[in-house]
Amino acid sequence: MSKSTVAFLGLGNMGMPMARNLLSAGFVVRAFNRSHKPLETLVGAGAIPAGSPAEAVEAGGVAISMLANDAALEAVALGEHGFAQKLGAGGLHISMSTVAPETSRRLAEAHALHGSSFLAAPVFGRPEAAAAKKLWICQSGAAEAKQRAKLFLDALGQGIHDFGNEPGAANVVKLSGNFLILSAIEALSEALVLAEKHGIERASLAKFLGETIFACPTYQNYARSLAARTFEPAGFKLELGMKDVRLVRDAAETAQAPMPIADLLHARLLAALAKGRGQLDWTAIEKSSAEDAGLGS
Amino acid sequence: MSKSTVAFLGLGNMGMPMARNLLSAGFVVRAFNRSHKPLETLVGAGAIPAGSPAEAVEAGGVAISMLANDAALEAVALGEHGFAQKLGAGGLHISMSTVAPETSRRLAEAHALHGSSFLAAPVFGRPEAAAAKKLWICQSGAAEAKQRAKLFLDALGQGIHDFGNEPGAANVVKLSGNFLILSAIEALSEALVLAEKHGIERASLAKFLGETIFACPTYQNYARSLAARTFEPAGFKLELGMKDVRLVRDAAETAQAPMPIADLLHARLLAALAKGRGQLDWTAIEKSSAEDAGLGS
Amino acid sequence: MSKSTVAFLGLGNMGMPMARNLLSAGFVVRAFNRSHKPLETLVGAGAIPAGSPAEAVEAGGVAISMLANDAALEAVALGEHGFAQKLGAGGLHISMSTVAPETSRRLAEAHALHGSSFLAAPVFGRPEAAAAKKLWICQSGAAEAKQRAKLFLDALGQGIHDFGNEPGAANVVKLSGNFLILSAIEALSEALVLAEKHGIERASLAKFLGETIFACPTYQNYARSLAARTFEPAGFKLELGMKDVRLVRDAAETAQAPMPIADLLHARLLAALAKGRGQLDWTAIEKSSAEDAGLGS
Amino acid sequence: MSKSTVAFLGLGNMGMPMARNLLSAGFVVRAFNRSHKPLETLVGAGAIPAGSPAEAVEAGGVAISMLANDAALEAVALGEHGFAQKLGAGGLHISMSTVAPETSRRLAEAHALHGSSFLAAPVFGRPEAAAAKKLWICQSGAAEAKQRAKLFLDALGQGIHDFGNEPGAANVVKLSGNFLILSAIEALSEALVLAEKHGIERASLAKFLGETIFACPTYQNYARSLAARTFEPAGFKLELGMKDVRLVRDAAETAQAPMPIADLLHARLLAALAKGRGQLDWTAIEKSSAEDAGLGS
C-alpha cells in the first residue's frame, strides 16, 4: 500500500473528470467501473484497471467512490466482489456520491467492522466544475479520516467544508443545497410566469434579479435559462433531480421535519416525469407553472 | 415651477432618507407628511413644509410619493386635498411605494385626465440603503416621464432598471423580488431545521451556503440571521411582509397565474400573525418550520 | 304593510324558484330584478313588478335578497335606489346570497341606522332543490328577526339551522360548507386519478365509496360524475366556485386562520380559469389532477 | 386438507375478532401469532395453535393473513418459517392487511412459483366492525381465488366489492379510502377552526354538516369528535395513519400521479409525530390547524 495510490470507483459524468484530476496530480489510480468503455478511456490516461471493486482497492488503502445512487454505492462497497472486506484494517473509504445520510451511517458501521474508516464527502458542481477542480466539497466523519483524505480532496475541489463527526451530516448538507437550488428554480419559475402574464419581458426580470438582489451565479444562470426556457440539453437531468428530492423527503421524514416546499418540488417533478420530461433539464419544472397559467408548455 | 423643485409625499422610514438625499443634491423639496414630527425634522434640514398634498405640489411640477400602502397612496393623490388636480397639465408623479400594479394603472389613468404623466418607480433596499443612495430602482411608464424623472432618481439610488411603458410593470417586478426573497427565507428555514434535526450546526450550514452556491448578500445575511434565530429588532416587519405577499397573490389572481409558493408564504405569515409575531422580522416565519418539527419556537 | 307581503330582490337561477315558492305559499311578492325578462316571467306567475329595489319594499316590511355577489347585494341594499332607507324603521332584510361575513356585518350595521333588522340566511342546494323547497337554510342574527323570518323561510326550505346572533356567522357556515364540498371533489379527483393509473375502473371505485364509507348524496353524485368526467353542462359553474373560494380565503385571512386546502383549491380553480374552463362544472378542477399525472385533459 | 379448515396469521386488534368470527362460523382455525398471549386467547375459543406460519397452513389449503405492515406480511409468507412453500400447489393466500399494491404484486408472483393463488382482500372497518361482521371487503385477484375465498370472506364482512384481476388493485382502493377519510378530517379541521375564530360553536357546525350535506357516519362521527377535540383514546392511532399515508404517497409515486392533498396530510402527520402525538387518534392533525390559527393546542 502506497500513500500515493487510490482506488476510484465509478467513472460517470462526475467520476471521470475527478479520476483524471487525481492522475494529473500524480496519484496512482486503480479504477473500477461497471461498464468498460469509461474504464478503457481512463486507462488510456494512465489508470490501472480493476475487474471488480475488490480488485481495485489495496488492503489498508484509500478508496474513493462516486456512484449514481445509494444502491450502486452499497453494491460496490458491500455487495458481491465489493471492496469493504479487502479494504480492511486501516483502510479509508471516501464516499463522494449524493446519497442518503442513512446510507453513510450504515456504511460507516459496516466499514468499522472491518477496521476501516469512512468519510462522507459529497460535492457541489457540474462535470465542468469537476474537470476544473472547482468542486465544493462537504465532509463529515472521524478526524483522522479527514486528515488522511485531505491529500486527495485537495486535488479534486476548490475547498473543503467540514460538518463534524457524524457520517451522515455532509450528505444532509448536500441534499439541503440541492433542495435550496431547486426551490429557487421553482420560485423563479413562478415569478417569471407572473411577470410574463403582466406583459413584462422575462429576460429583463432575470437580468435585473441577477444584477441586484440575487447577484450570484446560481441565480444568474438559472434565471437566464428559465427566462429563455431552454430545457435541453440538460445540465442536470430532471429524473436525477427527482432522485435527490426523494432523498430530501426521506431525510425529512427520518428527522420528523416537515418541508412543505420539498413536497411541492416533488409534485412538480412527478408531474414532469408523468409528462415524459425526465430527460430535460430539471428547470423544466417551470413548464407546470406556465401550463397552470394557461401558457403553452 | 422650477426644474429643481420637487414635492415629496411620505416621510416614513424610507421616505425620510430619500427626501434628505434630494435636499443634499440641491433640490428644493416641498414636503408633506400626515404626522407632523417627521415633517418638522425634514424642515430642519431645509425642506419647505406643506399642509396638504395639494399644497406640496406645483402646477406642472414633479411629485414623488413614498407611502405605506395603496390606500395611503390613493388618498394622497386622489383623495380630499390630494395633489392630482393641482399637479395638472405637464405634471409628473413618480410613485415609489410598494403597491399593486392595478393601483399604478388606475393612477396613470387618473393623472392622464389632468394632463399629468405617471411613473412607477418602486425600490429595493432598506432605510440604510436609502440613506446611502444604494437603492435599486425599477421603473415603468412613458418615455418622457422617465427622461424627466432621471434627474431625481439619480439622487436616490445606485441604478435605474427599466421595465417598459406599462405603468404597473415595475410594481410587478418589485412584488416578484419580495416574493423571491421570502421564498428563499422559507426554503432556508426548512433546510436549517432539517439540518438541526440531523445534528448539524445551523451556523456552519449558513456559512457554507453563503460562501459557495449562494454567494450573494441576500442569502448570506438571511442565512446568518436565520441560523442565529434573531428575529428582533425587525429589519422588515412581518406584518409588512404580509402586505406584500397579499399584493403578490392579488397580482397572481389578476393575471391568472397560480403561485403555490406564494400561497405557502401567505399561510406562514398568517400563522405568524395569529401567534402575535407581526412585529418581529419577517424571517420569523421560520418559527413555524421549527415548531412543526417539534423544536421550541 | 301587510304581514303576508314580501319584497324579493334577485331573480337568478336560485331566486326565481324561491320567489315562485313564496307566491305558491300565498304571499304577495313585490319583485325586483336588474334584467327585465325574469321579472316578466315572475309577474306572469302573480308577482308585482318593481322598477327599483326601493320601489319593491314597503316601509317596515320584509325584504328577501338573493343576488350574485357582495357587490350586487350592497348595490341593491345601499346603492342608488337601494331599499335600505325606505325599508326603514321596523323593517327586516333577509339576506340569502352567498357573501362574505363582513358584508353581512356591514349590512346589519347599515340597516340598524334606519331602524331595520337584518338576518343572514344563506342556503345550500341547487336550483332544483330550491324549486322543490328542499333548501337547507342557515341563519344568524337577532332573535326577533328569526321569529319574523320563519314564516317566509318555511316556504323556501326543508329546515332552518341556527348559528346565533352574530350576523356574519351563517355566511361563514355557508362558505365552510362549499369549502368542504370542493375539498371532497379535489380529494376524490386525486384518488380517482391514482386508481386509474393503477388500472382500476374509476366507476367501480366511485360506486364502492358511495355504498360504503361515504354513503351520502354529496359524495355519491360527485364521485359518479368525476368518475365519468362529465364536466358539462355545469351544475355549478367553476367561475362561481372561484368566487366562493375567494370568500373563504378572505374569511380565513380576516380570522387569521390558515387553510392550506383552501389555498390548494384556489390554485386549482385559478389554473382552470387560465385554461378557459370557467364555464365548466366546478368538478373540472379534476382535469389538473389528470393532466399532472400525464393523462389527457 | 379440509374445505372447512383455514390458517389465520396475525391476531392483532383486527385479526382477533376476525378469527373469532371464523370459529363461530364453524371453521377449523389454525392460528399463528408472533406474541403468545393473543394466541392463547384464541386457542381458548377453539383455535388450533401453530408454532410458525408454516405450521399453521396445510398443503393446498387456505391461509388468511391480517398483519401490521408490509414487512410483517412478507416475513410471515416468505421469511424463515414462512408459509408460502408449504401452502404450495393448490393453496390460496387471502391477504387482508393494509399494504402497498406492490407488496401484493410481489406476493402473487411468489405464491405462483409454488402453485398457490393469491387474493388481496383488505377491509374497511374498526375492530368493533370486525367483531360485528360489518367489515367492507375489497378484493382483487384471479376469478378462481375469489370463488374459493367467498366462503371465508362471507363470515367476516357485510359485503365483498370486486376490483378485477390485478392483485394490487384492492390495496389501491383501501389506500384511496383511507386517504379520502383523512382528507375529510383535514378539511373539517380547517373549517371548524375557521368557524371558531368567527365565533361559531364548533358543535353546531358539526351537527349541521352531518344532518345536511354530509349525512353519512364517516362525516358525522369525525365532525363530532373534531368539534369536541377528543383525541384520546385513539380509535385509529395517528402513527398508523402515517403508515397508510406513506403507502399512499408511494403508490402515487409509483403511478406518477401527483397528490397534493396527500402531501399536505403527510406534513400534518409528520408535524404531529414530531410533537409527540403519535399515540393520539389521527384526528389530532387538527391541532396543527388550531395552533396555526393561534388557538391553544
Side-chain angles (χ1 to χ4, degrees), chain A residues 170-207:
Chain A
N171 300 112
V172 173
V173 171
K174 169 61 184 167
L175 295 177
S176 296
N178 278 18
F179 161 74
L180 287 165
I181 293 170
L182 194 58
S183 297
I185 289 172
E186 168 67 21
L188 283 167
S189 298
E190 296 184 15
L192 286 164
V193 167
L194 176 72
E196 176 176 343
K197 292 208 73 176
H198 275 277
I200 297 166
E201 291 247 348
R202 294 167 69 106
S204 305
L205 176 56
K207 188 162 175 294

mmCIF file of all heavy atoms in Angstrom, chain A residues 170-207:
data_model
loop_
_atom_site.group_PDB
_atom_site.id
_atom_site.type_symbol
_atom_site.label_atom_id
_atom_site.label_comp_id
_atom_site.label_asym_id
_atom_site.label_seq_id
_atom_site.Cartn_x
_atom_site.Cartn_y
_atom_site.Cartn_z
ATOM 1 N N ALA A 170 -22.643 15.425 6.182
ATOM 2 C CA ALA A 170 -22.284 16.033 4.893
ATOM 3 C C ALA A 170 -23.325 15.718 3.829
ATOM 4 O O ALA A 170 -23.595 16.535 2.941
ATOM 5 C CB ALA A 170 -20.906 15.552 4.451
ATOM 6 N N ASN A 171 -23.938 14.549 3.902
ATOM 7 C CA ASN A 171 -24.986 14.207 2.939
ATOM 8 C C ASN A 171 -26.211 15.084 3.127
ATOM 9 O O ASN A 171 -26.853 15.485 2.166
ATOM 10 C CB ASN A 171 -25.375 12.723 3.078
ATOM 11 C CG ASN A 171 -24.192 11.807 2.836
ATOM 12 O OD1 ASN A 171 -23.716 11.155 3.757
ATOM 13 N ND2 ASN A 171 -23.707 11.775 1.611
ATOM 14 N N VAL A 172 -26.540 15.357 4.392
ATOM 15 C CA VAL A 172 -27.676 16.251 4.651
ATOM 16 C C VAL A 172 -27.384 17.628 4.068
ATOM 17 O O VAL A 172 -28.256 18.265 3.474
ATOM 18 C CB VAL A 172 -27.965 16.358 6.163
ATOM 19 C CG1 VAL A 172 -29.018 17.419 6.442
ATOM 20 C CG2 VAL A 172 -28.424 15.007 6.713
ATOM 21 N N VAL A 173 -26.147 18.088 4.204
ATOM 22 C CA VAL A 173 -25.775 19.389 3.634
ATOM 23 C C VAL A 173 -25.915 19.364 2.115
ATOM 24 O O VAL A 173 -26.469 20.288 1.506
ATOM 25 C CB VAL A 173 -24.347 19.771 4.047
ATOM 26 C CG1 VAL A 173 -23.879 21.013 3.282
ATOM 27 C CG2 VAL A 173 -24.284 20.012 5.553
ATOM 28 N N LYS A 174 -25.424 18.316 1.490
ATOM 29 C CA LYS A 174 -25.542 18.197 0.033
ATOM 30 C C LYS A 174 -27.015 18.216 -0.379
ATOM 31 O O LYS A 174 -27.414 18.935 -1.304
ATOM 32 C CB LYS A 174 -24.863 16.904 -0.424
ATOM 33 C CG LYS A 174 -25.134 16.502 -1.866
ATOM 34 C CD LYS A 174 -24.653 17.538 -2.874
ATOM 35 C CE LYS A 174 -25.030 17.153 -4.310
ATOM 36 N NZ LYS A 174 -24.843 18.270 -5.243
ATOM 37 N N LEU A 175 -27.837 17.441 0.313
ATOM 38 C CA LEU A 175 -29.253 17.388 -0.039
ATOM 39 C C LEU A 175 -29.916 18.741 0.202
ATOM 40 O O LEU A 175 -30.752 19.190 -0.589
ATOM 41 C CB LEU A 175 -29.956 16.287 0.760
ATOM 42 C CG LEU A 175 -29.490 14.862 0.443
ATOM 43 C CD1 LEU A 175 -30.208 13.860 1.340
ATOM 44 C CD2 LEU A 175 -29.746 14.526 -1.035
ATOM 45 N N SER A 176 -29.542 19.406 1.293
ATOM 46 C CA SER A 176 -30.097 20.735 1.575
ATOM 47 C C SER A 176 -29.755 21.710 0.461
ATOM 48 O O SER A 176 -30.590 22.513 0.044
ATOM 49 C CB SER A 176 -29.537 21.268 2.896
ATOM 50 O OG SER A 176 -29.954 20.458 3.965
ATOM 51 N N GLY A 177 -28.532 21.639 -0.003
ATOM 52 C CA GLY A 177 -28.112 22.534 -1.080
ATOM 53 C C GLY A 177 -28.924 22.312 -2.346
ATOM 54 O O GLY A 177 -29.416 23.268 -2.952
ATOM 55 N N ASN A 178 -29.078 21.054 -2.727
ATOM 56 C CA ASN A 178 -29.861 20.791 -3.934
ATOM 57 C C ASN A 178 -31.319 21.195 -3.743
ATOM 58 O O ASN A 178 -31.962 21.707 -4.664
ATOM 59 C CB ASN A 178 -29.747 19.319 -4.337
ATOM 60 C CG ASN A 178 -28.473 19.063 -5.117
ATOM 61 O OD1 ASN A 178 -27.541 19.867 -5.075
ATOM 62 N ND2 ASN A 178 -28.408 17.942 -5.834
ATOM 63 N N PHE A 179 -31.818 20.959 -2.550
ATOM 64 C CA PHE A 179 -33.177 21.404 -2.233
ATOM 65 C C PHE A 179 -33.297 22.924 -2.393
ATOM 66 O O PHE A 179 -34.256 23.431 -2.991
ATOM 67 C CB PHE A 179 -33.524 20.992 -0.788
ATOM 68 C CG PHE A 179 -34.673 21.772 -0.197
ATOM 69 C CD1 PHE A 179 -35.980 21.532 -0.603
ATOM 70 C CD2 PHE A 179 -34.444 22.742 0.768
ATOM 71 C CE1 PHE A 179 -37.034 22.265 -0.061
ATOM 72 C CE2 PHE A 179 -35.485 23.468 1.318
ATOM 73 C CZ PHE A 179 -36.789 23.232 0.905
ATOM 74 N N LEU A 180 -32.311 23.659 -1.904
ATOM 75 C CA LEU A 180 -32.365 25.118 -1.989
ATOM 76 C C LEU A 180 -32.268 25.595 -3.437
ATOM 77 O O LEU A 180 -32.948 26.548 -3.833
ATOM 78 C CB LEU A 180 -31.245 25.741 -1.145
ATOM 79 C CG LEU A 180 -31.490 25.659 0.357
ATOM 80 C CD1 LEU A 180 -30.196 25.945 1.127
ATOM 81 C CD2 LEU A 180 -32.576 26.633 0.798
ATOM 82 N N ILE A 181 -31.443 24.936 -4.215
ATOM 83 C CA ILE A 181 -31.331 25.334 -5.623
ATOM 84 C C ILE A 181 -32.649 25.094 -6.357
ATOM 85 O O ILE A 181 -33.148 25.964 -7.069
ATOM 86 C CB ILE A 181 -30.184 24.557 -6.314
ATOM 87 C CG1 ILE A 181 -28.829 24.982 -5.723
ATOM 88 C CG2 ILE A 181 -30.201 24.803 -7.824
ATOM 89 C CD1 ILE A 181 -27.656 24.109 -6.166
ATOM 90 N N LEU A 182 -33.242 23.927 -6.141
ATOM 91 C CA LEU A 182 -34.495 23.646 -6.849
ATOM 92 C C LEU A 182 -35.629 24.532 -6.324
ATOM 93 O O LEU A 182 -36.525 24.908 -7.075
ATOM 94 C CB LEU A 182 -34.860 22.155 -6.745
ATOM 95 C CG LEU A 182 -35.960 21.690 -7.713
ATOM 96 C CD1 LEU A 182 -35.590 21.945 -9.175
ATOM 97 C CD2 LEU A 182 -36.294 20.229 -7.518
ATOM 98 N N SER A 183 -35.571 24.883 -5.047
ATOM 99 C CA SER A 183 -36.551 25.837 -4.504
ATOM 100 C C SER A 183 -36.439 27.169 -5.227
ATOM 101 O O SER A 183 -37.453 27.800 -5.559
ATOM 102 C CB SER A 183 -36.316 26.061 -3.007
ATOM 103 O OG SER A 183 -36.492 24.876 -2.283
ATOM 104 N N ALA A 184 -35.212 27.601 -5.459
ATOM 105 C CA ALA A 184 -35.003 28.859 -6.175
ATOM 106 C C ALA A 184 -35.520 28.757 -7.604
ATOM 107 O O ALA A 184 -36.130 29.697 -8.127
ATOM 108 C CB ALA A 184 -33.526 29.230 -6.162
ATOM 109 N N ILE A 185 -35.319 27.600 -8.217
ATOM 110 C CA ILE A 185 -35.822 27.399 -9.586
ATOM 111 C C ILE A 185 -37.345 27.498 -9.617
ATOM 112 O O ILE A 185 -37.928 28.147 -10.486
ATOM 113 C CB ILE A 185 -35.348 26.029 -10.130
ATOM 114 C CG1 ILE A 185 -33.839 26.073 -10.403
ATOM 115 C CG2 ILE A 185 -36.115 25.634 -11.381
ATOM 116 C CD1 ILE A 185 -33.215 24.730 -10.755
ATOM 117 N N GLU A 186 -37.982 26.865 -8.659
ATOM 118 C CA GLU A 186 -39.450 26.914 -8.609
ATOM 119 C C GLU A 186 -39.935 28.343 -8.367
ATOM 120 O O GLU A 186 -40.852 28.829 -9.032
ATOM 121 C CB GLU A 186 -39.979 25.975 -7.510
ATOM 122 C CG GLU A 186 -41.450 26.142 -7.148
ATOM 123 C CD GLU A 186 -42.426 25.748 -8.277
ATOM 124 O OE1 GLU A 186 -42.023 24.987 -9.163
ATOM 125 O OE2 GLU A 186 -43.573 26.235 -8.253
ATOM 126 N N ALA A 187 -39.314 29.034 -7.422
ATOM 127 C CA ALA A 187 -39.736 30.407 -7.122
ATOM 128 C C ALA A 187 -39.505 31.312 -8.330
ATOM 129 O O ALA A 187 -40.372 32.123 -8.688
ATOM 130 C CB ALA A 187 -38.998 30.927 -5.889
ATOM 131 N N LEU A 188 -38.362 31.162 -8.977
ATOM 132 C CA LEU A 188 -38.096 31.941 -10.190
ATOM 133 C C LEU A 188 -39.129 31.631 -11.273
ATOM 134 O O LEU A 188 -39.597 32.527 -11.977
ATOM 135 C CB LEU A 188 -36.685 31.646 -10.722
ATOM 136 C CG LEU A 188 -35.535 32.321 -9.976
ATOM 137 C CD1 LEU A 188 -34.193 31.703 -10.378
ATOM 138 C CD2 LEU A 188 -35.506 33.831 -10.269
ATOM 139 N N SER A 189 -39.468 30.365 -11.413
ATOM 140 C CA SER A 189 -40.464 29.978 -12.418
ATOM 141 C C SER A 189 -41.783 30.690 -12.171
ATOM 142 O O SER A 189 -42.402 31.235 -13.090
ATOM 143 C CB SER A 189 -40.708 28.460 -12.376
ATOM 144 O OG SER A 189 -39.537 27.754 -12.682
ATOM 145 N N GLU A 190 -42.218 30.674 -10.913
ATOM 146 C CA GLU A 190 -43.497 31.321 -10.586
ATOM 147 C C GLU A 190 -43.418 32.820 -10.865
ATOM 148 O O GLU A 190 -44.352 33.416 -11.407
ATOM 149 C CB GLU A 190 -43.872 31.046 -9.127
ATOM 150 C CG GLU A 190 -44.110 29.569 -8.844
ATOM 151 C CD GLU A 190 -44.576 29.288 -7.407
ATOM 152 O OE1 GLU A 190 -44.991 30.240 -6.718
ATOM 153 O OE2 GLU A 190 -44.524 28.119 -6.989
ATOM 154 N N ALA A 191 -42.298 33.436 -10.493
ATOM 155 C CA ALA A 191 -42.153 34.882 -10.685
ATOM 156 C C ALA A 191 -42.099 35.236 -12.172
ATOM 157 O O ALA A 191 -42.695 36.233 -12.605
ATOM 158 C CB ALA A 191 -40.898 35.380 -9.976
ATOM 159 N N LEU A 192 -41.408 34.429 -12.959
ATOM 160 C CA LEU A 192 -41.292 34.724 -14.390
ATOM 161 C C LEU A 192 -42.631 34.570 -15.105
ATOM 162 O O LEU A 192 -42.965 35.348 -16.000
ATOM 163 C CB LEU A 192 -40.228 33.816 -15.029
ATOM 164 C CG LEU A 192 -38.791 34.201 -14.669
ATOM 165 C CD1 LEU A 192 -37.828 33.068 -14.987
ATOM 166 C CD2 LEU A 192 -38.373 35.473 -15.422
ATOM 167 N N VAL A 193 -43.400 33.569 -14.691
ATOM 168 C CA VAL A 193 -44.724 33.393 -15.296
ATOM 169 C C VAL A 193 -45.631 34.561 -14.900
ATOM 170 O O VAL A 193 -46.368 35.107 -15.729
ATOM 171 C CB VAL A 193 -45.332 32.031 -14.882
ATOM 172 C CG1 VAL A 193 -46.809 31.970 -15.237
ATOM 173 C CG2 VAL A 193 -44.573 30.894 -15.566
ATOM 174 N N LEU A 194 -45.571 34.945 -13.651
ATOM 175 C CA LEU A 194 -46.348 36.116 -13.206
ATOM 176 C C LEU A 194 -45.985 37.330 -14.052
ATOM 177 O O LEU A 194 -46.859 38.054 -14.547
ATOM 178 C CB LEU A 194 -46.054 36.406 -11.734
ATOM 179 C CG LEU A 194 -46.718 37.667 -11.164
ATOM 180 C CD1 LEU A 194 -48.219 37.451 -10.998
ATOM 181 C CD2 LEU A 194 -46.094 38.076 -9.836
ATOM 182 N N ALA A 195 -44.690 37.554 -14.195
ATOM 183 C CA ALA A 195 -44.221 38.714 -14.961
ATOM 184 C C ALA A 195 -44.699 38.642 -16.399
ATOM 185 O O ALA A 195 -45.245 39.613 -16.938
ATOM 186 C CB ALA A 195 -42.700 38.786 -14.893
ATOM 187 N N GLU A 196 -44.531 37.475 -17.014
ATOM 188 C CA GLU A 196 -44.950 37.342 -18.416
ATOM 189 C C GLU A 196 -46.427 37.653 -18.572
ATOM 190 O O GLU A 196 -46.819 38.364 -19.499
ATOM 191 C CB GLU A 196 -44.647 35.919 -18.913
ATOM 192 C CG GLU A 196 -45.153 35.705 -20.350
ATOM 193 C CD GLU A 196 -44.781 34.332 -20.924
ATOM 194 O OE1 GLU A 196 -43.884 33.686 -20.371
ATOM 195 O OE2 GLU A 196 -45.397 33.928 -21.925
ATOM 196 N N LYS A 197 -47.236 37.152 -17.643
ATOM 197 C CA LYS A 197 -48.668 37.393 -17.784
ATOM 198 C C LYS A 197 -49.037 38.849 -17.498
ATOM 199 O O LYS A 197 -50.126 39.300 -17.826
ATOM 200 C CB LYS A 197 -49.462 36.419 -16.925
ATOM 201 C CG LYS A 197 -49.342 34.981 -17.465
ATOM 202 C CD LYS A 197 -50.525 34.106 -17.143
ATOM 203 C CE LYS A 197 -51.755 34.440 -17.946
ATOM 204 N NZ LYS A 197 -52.870 33.510 -17.687
ATOM 205 N N HIS A 198 -48.131 39.585 -16.870
ATOM 206 C CA HIS A 198 -48.349 41.029 -16.707
ATOM 207 C C HIS A 198 -47.638 41.816 -17.805
ATOM 208 O O HIS A 198 -47.484 43.030 -17.705
ATOM 209 C CB HIS A 198 -47.864 41.494 -15.329
ATOM 210 C CG HIS A 198 -48.882 41.304 -14.245
ATOM 211 N ND1 HIS A 198 -49.887 42.201 -13.998
ATOM 212 C CD2 HIS A 198 -49.061 40.309 -13.348
ATOM 213 C CE1 HIS A 198 -50.638 41.778 -12.978
ATOM 214 N NE2 HIS A 198 -50.157 40.630 -12.566
ATOM 215 N N GLY A 199 -47.183 41.119 -18.845
ATOM 216 C CA GLY A 199 -46.641 41.815 -20.004
ATOM 217 C C GLY A 199 -45.179 42.227 -19.895
ATOM 218 O O GLY A 199 -44.691 43.032 -20.683
ATOM 219 N N ILE A 200 -44.473 41.658 -18.893
ATOM 220 C CA ILE A 200 -43.067 42.027 -18.699
ATOM 221 C C ILE A 200 -42.163 41.055 -19.453
ATOM 222 O O ILE A 200 -42.438 39.863 -19.502
ATOM 223 C CB ILE A 200 -42.736 42.000 -17.183
ATOM 224 C CG1 ILE A 200 -43.587 43.064 -16.476
ATOM 225 C CG2 ILE A 200 -41.244 42.215 -16.943
ATOM 226 C CD1 ILE A 200 -43.618 42.912 -14.977
ATOM 227 N N GLU A 201 -41.083 41.561 -20.008
ATOM 228 C CA GLU A 201 -40.106 40.700 -20.674
ATOM 229 C C GLU A 201 -39.427 39.816 -19.640
ATOM 230 O O GLU A 201 -38.805 40.314 -18.690
ATOM 231 C CB GLU A 201 -39.007 41.557 -21.320
ATOM 232 C CG GLU A 201 -39.448 42.364 -22.490
ATOM 233 C CD GLU A 201 -38.776 41.870 -23.770
ATOM 234 O OE1 GLU A 201 -37.814 41.064 -23.659
ATOM 235 O OE2 GLU A 201 -39.221 42.281 -24.849
ATOM 236 N N ARG A 202 -39.488 38.520 -19.851
ATOM 237 C CA ARG A 202 -38.875 37.598 -18.900
ATOM 238 C C ARG A 202 -37.381 37.871 -18.750
ATOM 239 O O ARG A 202 -36.850 37.854 -17.634
ATOM 240 C CB ARG A 202 -39.083 36.149 -19.357
ATOM 241 C CG ARG A 202 -40.539 35.729 -19.340
ATOM 242 C CD ARG A 202 -40.769 34.412 -20.093
ATOM 243 N NE ARG A 202 -40.177 33.297 -19.407
ATOM 244 C CZ ARG A 202 -40.859 32.360 -18.727
ATOM 245 N NH1 ARG A 202 -42.170 32.422 -18.665
ATOM 246 N NH2 ARG A 202 -40.237 31.373 -18.135
ATOM 247 N N ALA A 203 -36.702 38.127 -19.869
ATOM 248 C CA ALA A 203 -35.257 38.314 -19.804
ATOM 249 C C ALA A 203 -34.882 39.560 -18.987
ATOM 250 O O ALA A 203 -33.870 39.568 -18.281
ATOM 251 C CB ALA A 203 -34.675 38.412 -21.209
ATOM 252 N N SER A 204 -35.714 40.601 -19.063
ATOM 253 C CA SER A 204 -35.430 41.819 -18.296
ATOM 254 C C SER A 204 -35.496 41.540 -16.800
ATOM 255 O O SER A 204 -34.651 42.005 -16.021
ATOM 256 C CB SER A 204 -36.450 42.915 -18.616
ATOM 257 O OG SER A 204 -36.499 43.170 -19.980
ATOM 258 N N LEU A 205 -36.519 40.796 -16.414
ATOM 259 C CA LEU A 205 -36.643 40.482 -14.991
ATOM 260 C C LEU A 205 -35.455 39.640 -14.533
ATOM 261 O O LEU A 205 -34.853 39.888 -13.484
ATOM 262 C CB LEU A 205 -37.965 39.749 -14.718
ATOM 263 C CG LEU A 205 -38.176 39.279 -13.286
ATOM 264 C CD1 LEU A 205 -38.055 40.439 -12.289
ATOM 265 C CD2 LEU A 205 -39.538 38.601 -13.117
ATOM 266 N N ALA A 206 -35.104 38.628 -15.324
ATOM 267 C CA ALA A 206 -33.997 37.744 -14.960
ATOM 268 C C ALA A 206 -32.700 38.541 -14.808
ATOM 269 O O ALA A 206 -31.949 38.366 -13.841
ATOM 270 C CB ALA A 206 -33.832 36.651 -16.017
ATOM 271 N N LYS A 207 -32.454 39.425 -15.758
ATOM 272 C CA LYS A 207 -31.229 40.237 -15.735
ATOM 273 C C LYS A 207 -31.219 41.122 -14.486
ATOM 274 O O LYS A 207 -30.210 41.205 -13.775
ATOM 275 C CB LYS A 207 -31.177 41.095 -16.996
ATOM 276 C CG LYS A 207 -29.894 41.848 -17.232
ATOM 277 C CD LYS A 207 -29.808 42.280 -18.700
ATOM 278 C CE LYS A 207 -28.581 43.152 -18.939
ATOM 279 N NZ LYS A 207 -28.650 44.452 -18.241
#
